[in-house]
Amino acid sequence: MPTSGDAAAIALDGIEMRVLRIPLVSPFTTSFGTETMREVIVVRALTDGADGWGEIVTASAPLYSSEYTQGAWDVALRWLIPALLDVRTVRPEEVAGILSPFLGHRMAKAGLELAVLDAALRSQGRPLGQYLGAVTDRVPSGVSVGIQSDPAVLVDVVGGYLDAGYRRIKIKIKPGRDVADTAAVRDAFGAIGLQVDANAAYTLADADVLAELDRFDLLLIEQPLAEDDLTEHAELARRLRTPICLDESVVSAKAAADAIALGSAAVVNIKAGRVGGYLEAVAVHDVCRAAGVPVWCGGMLETGIGRAANAALAALPGFTLPGDVSASDRFYARDIVTEPAVLEDGYVRVPTGPGIGVEIDVLALDDFTVARETLRR
Ligand code: OSB
Ligand code: MG
């Protein structure tokens, strides 16, 4: 939990939500599908002082996890926002408890908590990084590369990111697009920091294929098996030399502790949306750090809002591996903040302004908005 004191209580006048549809600069393909458009929810906490901004990182379809944008929209309007507005003044640290009677829906909760947290920190003139416990002013930037039409195209695309300065490459894999893709990238670029992400596409019956990846000296293999395959991941770990990193399976600090105790995860990917908020993300970090398990900051194709907050999170001391904390232009030609994250010598800066530390580009926000709803107390 934050070491430098709780954030201010704020009086919530209302909460505005918008669905945005933002085109991606190129299609993004994973083991579960291809996206060409980011459909995401932006949350605005309305207060008597500065408004706070958050992002609900769901995708349009429940393919990565059970959450999806229209589901998050519904649960937020029907249950979560009314519960928050029922409380006269709220401290960011109380949001998770207020929302805890409503099960699941962690991405929706995380976006709401971030908006409240941003408003509270802005009212105090306090940066999110400082509040969360950041120990650096910039974080090394890795990039997540989708499955391409063939390994030669993949090598071209990866080469472009390496030229841009990215300090670690993650490639997406799936059955039939694993060993040859990984070999092509390793052969083309030698000793770069390289890891793979299967997004739960394999079963324990594929252990022999996954063991073939051992020869590429990968930093890790991310989420090879299903979300609830904790014991299977532990069994797979005994059969591989490559460290297993969990993403989808780690939905809370408790899940992280269980995975570590079972030997299912040697590394953990932390995403605030997946675990229900940035405060729970810090709790996951703390559990892993105490156990000596390295963590890194995952991404969900965030807009400039979530991208700024992720940079702050990734600056905590346990984040010893480069994250999927890329520049805004890796995904978007136009972002919704006035100073989108850029790559500087392979690093992304941790914002130093109050709250998430970035300002909203209101014209861009309006241009991408396809639905809008405000609840007031
Ligand atoms: O598994 O890490 C993942 C994007 C959407 C859903 C799941 C994942 C991803 C990524 C992209 O890999 C990470 C990023 O935002 O850069
Ligand atoms: Mg992943």
Side-chain angles (χ1 to χ4, degrees), residues 210-228:
L210 296 172
E212 286 185 54
L213 298 173
D214 276 348
R215 70 173 189 271
F216 302 116
D217 286 311
L218 301 176
L219 291 164
L220 54 89
I221 177 171
E222 181 178 348
Q223 196 72 38
L225 312 179
E227 177 177 327
D228 59 359

Side-chain angles (χ1 to χ4, degrees), residues 127-149:
L128 178 63
Q130 185 214 85
Y131 169 78
L132 294 177
V135 294
T136 55
D137 57 7
R138 57 175 202 165
V139 296
S141 183
V143 62
S144 175
V145 184
I147 296 169
Q148 306 295 320
S149 51

Side-chain angles (χ1 to χ4, degrees), residues 28 30 32 35 38 64 142-145 170 172 197 199 222 247-248 269 271 296 298-302 307 310 324-326 330-331:
F28 186 65
T30 64
F32 57 77
E35 284 198 84
R38 185 76 180 99
Y64 162 78
V143 62
S144 175
V145 184
K170 155 171 144 183
K172 294 288 190 177
D197 186 359
N199 287 109
E222 181 178 348
D247 172 356
E248 284 88 332
N269 164 327
K271 293 178 182 172
W296 54 280
M300 291 294 292
L301 280 56
E302 281 84 354
R307 212 161 280 282
N310 284 350
D324 287 341
V325 184
S326 0
R330 186 267 170 258
F331 292 111

